[in-house]
Amino acid sequence: MLDETIRKGLAGRYEELGGKVRELAQPLSEEQFWKKPFAFGNSFGHLVLHLTGNLNYYIGAGIAGTGYVRDRDREFSEAARPGKSDVMTRFADAVAMVARTARAQSEGDWSRRYTALREEEAGNRFNIFLRCATHLHLHVGQMMYLQFELMRGLKKSD
């Protein structure tokens, strides 16, 4: 019973947070998606690249066996600026993969040993799912501020 609650709860939370990212990105133009409205931090687009890489690496490669190879530095420095639609599709695919992987875990899988680069202390699969969810939630908060500032800037220039 607890196992089913964990599977459904984690999968649902990832889907909810993924939906929030889509909702926040929706009104942004291509230019706004890649613009840094503050002298510090990242663009909305670079945060989406980062979250996509994070999920594909820690859950995809580490648990689902996707073979994903991560270039973390590029997530923050990608100069090619792929189209917003493509970036958001890759993010949605990563969220769907994580939700499927969470739902596929058996009771014994949650406590299986887990370690990865920058997550040497994760310890087990449950912890990496939880850590990735809190990481996603952290960046959703940043994205809320970015979207607010980008949309506010648009209203000022009207």
Side-chain angles (χ1 to χ4, degrees), residues 36-91:
K36 286 176 56 174
F38 305 111
F40 55 89
N42 299 290
S43 69
F44 197 103
H46 283 103
L47 287 175
V48 176
L49 291 177
H50 172 58
L51 290 169
T52 302
N54 177 274
L55 297 175
N56 279 322
Y57 176 67
Y58 289 116
I59 307 296
I63 297 175
T66 63
Y68 181 82
V69 177
R70 187 176 192 190
D71 184 351
R72 187 178 185 279
D73 291 340
R74 190 171 179 186
E75 296 164 12
F76 296 105
S77 63
E78 178 61 68
R81 295 186 175 186
K84 173 185 158 185
S85 177
D86 291 340
V87 172
M88 293 305 298
T89 296
R90 288 194 301 263
F91 173 72

Side-chain angles (χ1 to χ4, degrees), residues 6-22 51 54-55 58-59 91-92 94-100 102-103 110 125-137 140:
I6 291 169
R7 282 194 315 265
K8 287 181 179 179
L10 284 172
R13 187 65 177 151
Y14 277 101
E15 290 166 342
E16 179 184 343
L17 291 170
K20 185 65 177 174
V21 172
R22 284 189 304 277
L51 290 169
N54 177 274
L55 297 175
Y58 289 116
I59 307 296
F91 173 72
V95 170
M97 175 275 301
V98 170
R100 277 192 315 274
R103 287 186 177 102
W110 294 115
R125 287 182 175 190
F126 175 79
N127 283 339
I128 198 61
F129 272 97
L130 185 60
R131 287 176 181 214
C132 286
T134 58
H135 177 256
L136 174 56
H137 201 168
V140 166

Side-chain angles (χ1 to χ4, degrees), residues 28 31-32 35 37-38 145-158:
L28 301 178
E31 180 184 344
Q32 288 171 317
K35 183 177 181 180
F38 305 111
Y145 282 111
L146 286 170
Q147 193 243 34
F148 174 80
E149 187 64 21
L150 291 163
M151 298 309 290
R152 185 174 78 126
L154 184 65
K155 289 176 186 171
K156 282 182 179 179
S157 66
D158 286 346

Side-chain angles (χ1 to χ4, degrees), residues 92-113:
D93 291 346
V95 170
M97 175 275 301
V98 170
R100 277 192 315 274
T101 303
R103 287 186 177 102
Q105 299 305 293
S106 70
E107 184 176 348
D109 288 336
W110 294 115
S111 61
R112 286 182 63 185
R113 180 166 159 61

